[in-house]
Amino acid sequence: LELSNNDPEIEAPPSSVHDHLQGEVHDWMSTVSGNIAAASVVEFSDDETEAGPAMSYVERQADTIKKLSTEFKCCTCYDRFPRASMVTAKCGDRYCIDCMKGLFMRSTKDESLYPPRCCKQKIPLDLIARHMEPNELATFELAIMEYATQKKTYCSNPDCATFIVPDRIEPGTNRAVCPKCSAETCAICNHEFHAGSDCPDDPLLRQTRELAREMGWQTCNACHREVDLRSGCNHITCRCGAEFCYICGVRWKECTCATADLHRIEERAEEIVDRDAPNLLPQERRQRVDRVFAELQDRHECEHSRRFERVFYGAPRRGFRCEMCDARHHKYILRCRYCYVDVCEDCRRNRI
């Protein structure tokens, strides 16, 4: 730092003041330099225990064994298992190996469980694949192909009814050969293979369609199953996963139909009241039905997100009934606080 007397903007100080300032600046810079140098010194110590004792190999092994031997509760069967015998879904729920395998194998027979999921999050196959047998993996992969096929063909042999992959269907003749029993099936009508382009009339199928028309049932626009709506809103979610309007059959929210039928909502309100309080006096029952009916008019499209509570008391003699899988449970049931639907733990995790 240098002070100059030649700066025209300031008045030059006397020489005595100039010398005094130069000395103070020199002393100040020396002090700062010393502090920086002192702060730059890093002291090392030969004492390894200052940062805490290091774990020996034996101690690390013991710590690892302790962590692996810690048991956790399976969210499905409620048994306890060591960490190595469990898998964890993305939502944080822990499953034992058998329960997770069971979920994947059940999804091969129940399309409403496919894809396997927990808390609305898909469970990747890689999570459990190494614990599955080759035949189990093959069965699951075949189910993936079956669910992805729009026009499905099944073996015409009623004792077999195996899904026939599209690769086993001859393009020109629509002749499908079953890989299990070798029966030949027409890929158009799913009956025994026949020559010619016209498929024989199926009286049972015709009767089913006539009954569906008389009863007002709707046909799924994806898998062509017949669907009957007993109560609730017009939003239908088929077992195959397709969502459509019960009134017109068009994909959900792509039509101008009403989202709910008030008559069906009232029927649902009566079901809920009779389920939860079956012995009410007529006047009290009517009041409760009216209250639930008013609530359901605004809540019929419930997503059930974080709205379930456990109900332990008030179960009928046969136990609580899950309204999704019809299974009976005597310990408790999960009830949505918003729309009052009763579901079991498995359906709450894996179906909703």
Side-chain angles (χ1 to χ4, degrees), residues 265-298:
I265 292 181
E266 186 175 11
E267 288 181 346
R268 174 59 181 165
E270 292 176 349
E271 286 182 2
I272 293 171
V273 172
D274 292 340
R275 177 197 68 191
D276 300 340
N279 299 318
L280 292 177
L281 295 175
Q283 183 178 0
E284 185 179 359
R285 178 183 180 275
R286 185 69 258 172
Q287 292 175 352
R288 186 171 295 193
V289 168
D290 291 341
R291 178 178 60 81
V292 175
F293 172 64
E295 293 174 352
L296 292 182
Q297 289 186 64
D298 298 326

Side-chain angles (χ1 to χ4, degrees), residues 197-242:
S197 58
D198 294 333
C199 295
D201 180 47
D202 185 352
L204 294 179
L205 179 60
R206 187 177 67 253
Q207 291 176 12
T208 301
R209 289 176 176 172
E210 290 177 355
L211 177 63
R213 187 165 50 252
E214 293 174 1
M215 299 297 294
W217 298 344
Q218 189 55 261
T219 304
C220 175
N221 54 27
C223 66
H224 306 291
R225 289 187 177 98
E226 301 296 338
V227 180
D228 175 27
L229 176 62
R230 293 178 297 178
S231 62
C233 69
N234 295 320
H235 180 195
I236 300 297
T237 302
C238 184
R239 294 175 64 87
C240 69

Side-chain angles (χ1 to χ4, degrees), residues 119-131:
C119 301
K120 299 184 179 182
Q121 299 185 57
K122 293 182 181 179
I123 303 174
L125 177 60
D126 296 342
L127 190 66
I128 193 65
R130 64 189 182 94
H131 300 287

